[in-house]
C-alpha cells in the first residue's frame, strides 16, 4: 500500500464536499480522479497534498512516497506545451544527465 484514505470527510461550512471516502493505491497503480465540475476533485487533491486537512478520517502514506501534481492554473505561459511545463521541475536532473 502506497497511499490510503479511510473514511475521509471534508466540508466547507454547511456544505459537504465529500463524505466517508475510502480508497487505496497499491504498488505501481496509476489512478485518475474523475467527476463533474464542483464535486470535490480539487479539494480531494489538496487533501492528498496536505494543502487542506480532512475534517474526519485518516490518511496513510508510505514515508518514501512522493506525489506529483500539476495545478490546473499552472499553465500561464501560452507559448509552451504541457510537457514543457511539467519538465520544468526536472531541470536539475536533465542538466545532470547531460553532464
Amino acid at each position: 500500500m502506497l497511499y490510503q484514505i479511510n473514511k475521509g470527510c471534508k466540508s466547507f461550512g454547511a456544505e459537504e464536499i465529500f463524505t466517508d471516502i475510502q480508497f487505496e493505491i497499491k504498488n505501481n497503480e496509476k489512478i485518475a480522479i474523475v467527476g463533474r465540475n464542483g464535486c470535490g476533485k480539487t479539494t480531494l487533491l489538496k487533501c492528498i497534498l496536505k494543502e487542506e486537512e480532512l475534517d474526519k478520517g485518516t490518511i496513510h502514506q508510505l514515508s518514501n512516497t512522493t506525489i506529483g501534481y500539476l495545478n490546473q492554473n499552472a499553465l500561464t505561459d501560452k507559448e509552451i506545451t504541457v510537457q514543457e511545463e511539467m519538465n520544468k521541475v526536472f531541470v536539475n536532473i536533465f542538466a545532470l544527465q547531460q553532464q
Side-chain angles (χ1 to χ4, degrees), residues 34-92:
V34 180
R36 62 178 168 68
N37 290 344
C39 72
K41 298 180 301 287
T42 300
T43 301
L44 175 59
L45 284 171
K46 287 181 177 182
C47 291
I48 290 171
L49 295 168
K50 299 179 182 165
E51 291 178 7
E52 296 272 349
E53 289 188 23
L54 294 174
D55 296 331
K56 293 181 188 173
T58 57
I59 295 176
H60 301 281
Q61 178 178 337
L62 284 181
S63 59
N64 62 345
T65 302
T66 58
I67 298 171
Y69 169 69
L70 180 62
N71 186 305
Q72 61 189 1
N73 298 320
L75 302 174
T76 56
D77 185 350
K78 305 268 189 248
E79 302 297 318
I80 65 171
T81 66
V82 172
Q83 184 67 47
E84 290 169 329
E85 181 69 35
M86 291 174 57
N87 286 343
K88 286 181 180 180
V89 299
F90 300 110
V91 170
N92 295 336

Side-chain angles (χ1 to χ4, degrees), residues 6-20:
N6 292 310
K7 298 188 179 201
C9 300
K10 182 68 178 173
S11 299
F12 291 112
E15 183 180 358
E16 285 186 338
I17 307 301
F18 48 81
T19 304
D20 290 330

